[in-house]
Amino acid sequence: MAGFITKRILFGILTIFVVSVVAFLLVRLMPGSPGAIVLGLGATDDEILAYDTSIGWHDPLAVQYLTWLGEALRGNFGVSLLDGRQVNADIAARLPVTFSLALAGTVMSAVVGVLLGVIAAVRGGVVDRIVNAFSALGAAIPGFWIGIVFVFVFSVQTGLLPATGYVPFAQDPALWLQSLILPVATLALGGAAFVARQTRASMIDALAQDHMRTLRATAMPEWRIRYVHALRYASLPIVAGVGLQFIALFGGSVIIEQIFAMPGLGQSIQGAAASNDAPLVLGIVVTTTVVVVIVNLLLELSNRFLDPKLRTS
């Protein structure tokens, strides 16, 4: 196990390095220069050139990247070109928002999706067709459309929940929960459809295994066969699907954060990319990659815990 963890950590470090190189090169291809962004439209060409030279903008790309990498390894992603704020501070303020959305959306997706998938596999018939229809609709309907409908129904028409904004948990836990309900429900609907489809397929396969028939022959209660042994057998692809769902929600919450005015990483990187704010874009990309690498490592470890055959490989 120690050797496996070491290999996965080294692979994760390599992944982060490759992503940082690609992101750096892509950011470097963005139009304009830091001097033009920082000094504004009133700056002369000489002033822009002097500023760019002072920060090493005209140095060779390899030198620029190694300089940036050295600072990043020390935990310093630089300063935003637009507001002069430390990129680290901006990420630290926005990361909890995106993480809360992704984690809560994943939990809700897992609970609803696993419940529906198990019911569909066990009951079959009309129930199975209803769950399949829900899965198809949940996968087909765009998330932004669901969010707009939720805002119209629960905020504009009834006033039950706030339409936009985010309240930190430390400031007011009750308002924090209220501010998350609509965006989390929007994210979870499509995720629950995916998890339900995955769970249904895995449970049907598990219930058809020979050892399930053997358990029935021993007069074991049917509920124990279905909800303990079969569900445990089906858990490996389900857990993998839930983990991928978290990664998808963490990295793909840009539109939802825009609809509900959530000050998360998605909203920040959209504004940074539109404004050519290279340091902020790089900082968010690398931070997101680190989170994804950590989640993938946890998924690998959970798979080995759930499947004894993987522990010996």
Side-chain angles (χ1 to χ4, degrees), residues 119-309:
I119 292 174
V122 171
R123 298 291 296 275
V126 176
V127 175
D128 187 23
R129 288 193 290 272
I130 292 174
V131 173
N132 278 334
F134 164 77
S135 298
L137 284 175
I141 299 175
F144 72 86
W145 187 86
I146 297 172
I148 293 172
V149 171
F150 281 172
V151 168
F152 179 76
V153 174
F154 296 104
S155 298
V156 177
Q157 292 295 315
T158 63
L160 295 175
L161 296 168
T164 58
Y166 175 81
V167 178
F169 179 83
Q171 180 177 327
D172 192 317
L175 292 179
W176 169 80
L177 182 61
Q178 288 184 13
S179 67
L180 286 179
I181 291 177
L182 288 185
V184 166
T186 302
L187 290 171
L189 189 58
F194 169 78
V195 175
R197 187 165 58 249
Q198 181 74 48
T199 302
R200 173 187 175 277
S202 299
M203 279 294 292
I204 290 176
D205 178 67
L207 291 170
Q209 296 298 311
D210 291 338
H211 65 272
M212 296 299 166
R213 288 192 288 270
T214 303
L215 291 175
R216 290 189 179 93
T218 63
M220 179 177 290
E222 188 65 23
W223 68 266
R224 187 173 181 83
I225 295 175
R226 292 174 176 175
Y227 306 119
V228 176
H229 295 281
L231 188 57
R232 181 188 301 166
Y233 184 88
S235 62
L236 196 61
I238 295 174
V239 170
V242 171
L244 293 176
Q245 187 64 27
F246 175 82
I247 292 173
L249 295 183
F250 187 86
S253 61
V254 177
I255 296 177
I256 301 304
E257 289 181 6
Q258 289 292 328
I259 292 174
F260 295 99
M262 305 290 286
L265 293 178
Q267 187 187 69
S268 180
I269 196 171
Q270 185 184 42
S275 306
N276 297 339
D277 194 343
L280 186 54
V281 171
L282 274 173
I284 294 176
V285 169
V286 172
T287 300
T288 302
T289 305
V290 170
V291 172
V292 170
V293 166
I294 293 174
V295 172
N296 276 329
L297 176 60
L298 295 177
L299 277 177
E300 294 272 5
L301 293 176
S302 65
N303 288 343
R304 286 179 167 260
F305 174 78
L306 293 171
D307 190 347
K309 291 182 292 186

Side-chain angles (χ1 to χ4, degrees), residues 48-73:
I48 293 174
L49 178 61
Y51 182 89
D52 290 342
T53 302
S54 68
I55 63 172
W57 184 250
H58 298 293
D59 292 344
L61 285 178
V63 174
Q64 293 185 46
Y65 174 76
L66 291 175
T67 301
W68 174 86
L69 181 62
E71 292 296 325
L73 290 176

